[in-house]
Amino acid sequence: MAVSRPSPVHLSPTPADRPVFVIGAGPGGLAAAHALRARGIRAVVLEKSDQVGASWRQHYDRLQLHTTRRLSALPGLPMPRSFGRWVSRDNVVRYLEKYAEHHELEIVTGVEVFRVERAADHTAGEGWLLHASGGRELTGSAVVVATGYNHTPRVPEWPGLDGFGGEFSHAGRYRNAEPYAGRDVLVVGVGNTGAEIAVDLMEGGAARVRLAVRTAPHIVRRSTAGWAAQYTGVLVRRLPVRLVDRLARPLAKISTPDLSAHGLARPDTGLYSRVREGAIPVQDVGLIDAVRKGRVEVVAAVEGFEDGKVVLADGNRISPDAVIAATGYVRALEGLVGHLGVLDGRGKPVVHGSRTPANAPGLYFTGFTNPISGMFRELAIDAEKIAKAVARALS
């Protein structure tokens, strides 16, 4: 892998000769760097850790892509067939390492970018100044922000948490069930991460596993008779939301059982409506059977902590040995680009892919949506669109 040392980058004063800086060496950043390089544009990837795919290396052990191998490859390099249909975490990391090496990407590790702003000589939408660790100030013709959807763990401000008598951690620190064998564990949150951790704990020997649910999720089979759920996601991606919601209701009744008797009622909102709000359906990797058999108990949402116990929304108080908060992440872009007026009220970029904010031309974002058609697939598409837009802007 072509990795340069973390050192100042000396550039020509001519805007067209300045590289495009890509912030983040995850799948989105690597794909964008290759697509730019393929168009003859120098792209320098800046990564704060010491290796590519840092966030993927930190995910729990049993994680697999919920999208198929064929539809998860990045531009210019297929994923090996030996990885199987559902690619494991470790193989995703191997693929990202190979991707950077195969495409001879220019990656600078150990450099964290803290702030992006217009360069002092910024004219006609050209020139960006990056303030980075070590006092570095780097100037480029464009910037691609690819710091990741799962950037900073989010923990709700539950009252009384400091007084909880058991062990508390965010799901981002969870690796496997071994430390929880024989223990009573509460998992908070029923997204894909919470659902899979609950199943992993159950299979890994936890004495009791409870899953706290605030809003019942849509649950879909990862694959039915060989037809991956992702294929359906790709087909309906551009259809009207209400139409997809209507089509999804009867299919859900056919493909997934009613778990209302076990505390997990069918959602009262449409599947695609929820996706547009940021809630991706839970792909079943054993949760349905675990709930039906009582091996994962569904309980009410967590409201807070009191006297060392967990207070649930239905008034019950429970005393698990450990609580794992699968409560999601925040993008943490405010310090980096918040001053540029390019984020919405939830801290997400107002545009992504080939589009740049009207007040910040040359600033691109990738990987900050959670599409029903698959993250890796959309990152690959965005990379090509961004490279095309940058080439057009620099011509």
Side-chain angles (χ1 to χ4, degrees):
M1 177 171 60
V3 180
S4 59
R5 295 180 182 275
S7 58
V9 179
H10 302 287
L11 305 171
S12 164
T14 305
D17 291 338
R18 296 171 176 175
V20 174
F21 283 109
V22 180
I23 307 175
L30 297 180
H34 163 62
L36 288 162
R37 180 182 171 88
R39 289 180 175 270
I41 301 168
R42 184 188 174 202
V44 178
V45 182
L46 303 175
E47 168 57 44
K48 69 177 181 179
S49 74
D50 60 356
Q51 48 196 343
V52 303
S55 63
W56 274 92
R57 297 173 191 273
Q58 298 170 11
H59 288 314
Y60 48 93
D61 295 348
R62 70 172 281 158
L63 178 64
Q64 293 181 319
L65 288 178
H66 290 166
T67 53
T68 66
R69 170 182 53 83
R70 294 185 63 185
L71 293 185
S72 299
L74 302 178
L77 185 68
M79 285 188 171
R81 294 187 63 182
S82 61
F83 285 2
R85 194 181 196 196
W86 312 107
V87 182
S88 69
R89 178 204 65 183
D90 289 347
N91 280 335
V92 169
V93 172
R94 292 187 184 99
Y95 175 72
L96 296 178
E97 291 175 337
K98 182 64 177 179
Y99 192 85
E101 178 184 6
H102 177 78
H103 291 304
E104 299 181 338
L105 301 181
E106 187 175 355
I107 304 171
V108 185
T109 59
V111 174
E112 182 175 4
V113 180
F114 300 114
R115 185 179 175 90
V116 176
E117 59 187 23
R118 295 176 180 84
D121 61 347
H122 185 281
T123 58
E126 298 176 348
W128 289 94
L129 177 65
L130 283 65
H131 298 273
S133 54
R136 298 174 180 84
E137 292 188 348
L138 312 175
T139 308
S141 57
V143 175
V144 180
V145 180
T147 50
Y149 192 84
N150 295 336
H151 188 276
T152 301
R154 172 188 171 273
V155 177
E157 295 181 356
W158 285 308
L161 176 58
D162 291 343
F164 176 55
E167 176 186 331
F168 180 88
S169 65
H170 187 271
R173 296 177 57 191
Y174 180 86
R175 295 296 173 267
N176 55 58
E178 184 176 352
Y180 302 95
R183 303 173 69 188
D184 181 344
V185 188
L186 172 68
V187 180
V188 184
V190 69
N192 277 294
T193 296
E196 191 154 359
I197 287 177
V199 172
D200 194 46
L201 288 165
M202 177 267 295
E203 294 177 349
R208 186 178 189 180
V209 180
R210 284 176 281 198
L211 183 61
V213 177
R214 182 172 300 278
T215 304
H218 288 274
I219 303 176
V220 299
R221 302 287 187 181
R222 185 168 65 174
S223 179
T224 303
W227 179 266
Q230 183 189 11
Y231 298 163
T232 302
V234 172
L235 291 176
V236 305
R237 182 90 162 91
R238 304 298 180 187
L239 293 180
V241 173
R242 292 184 179 179
L243 174 60
V244 178
D245 285 347
R246 287 200 298 269
L247 293 174
R249 289 191 190 99
L251 291 176
K253 292 181 179 180
I254 295 171
S255 62
T256 58
D258 186 357
L259 299 174
S260 300
H262 303 278
L264 206 57
R266 293 191 186 277
D268 56 7
T269 52
L271 183 149
Y272 205 19
S273 293
R274 292 280 296 278
V275 170
R276 297 297 290 270
E277 295 171 358
I280 293 295
V282 171
Q283 295 207 15
D284 179 44
V285 291
L287 181 66
I288 291 175
D289 285 344
V291 170
R292 292 175 73 178
K293 295 175 181 178
R295 299 185 67 188
V296 170
E297 306 169 46
V298 177
V299 298
V302 171
E303 290 296 310
F305 296 76
E306 188 175 297
D307 298 328
K309 297 182 179 181
V310 181
V311 181
L312 303 180
D314 59 6
N316 286 323
R317 284 167 167 76
I318 59 177
S319 301
D321 299 319
V323 174
I324 300 173
T327 46
Y329 296 80
V330 294
R331 298 338 123 211
L333 292 170
E334 287 78 7
L336 186 68
V337 296
H339 55 285
L340 297 172
V342 297
L343 304 178
D344 65 16
R346 295 181 295 174
K348 298 176 67 175
V350 294
V351 297
H352 73 279
S354 62
R355 300 170 58 200
T356 62
N359 61 332
L363 182 63
Y364 301 86
F365 295 90
T366 183
F368 296 100
T369 61
N370 200 5
I372 193 173
S373 50
M375 176 69 81
F376 272 57
R377 178 180 181 272
E378 295 302 320
L379 289 174
I381 293 172
D382 273 357
E384 300 286 4
K385 290 181 176 179
I386 289 171
K388 184 177 180 180
V390 171
R392 184 169 57 247
L394 295 180
S395 62

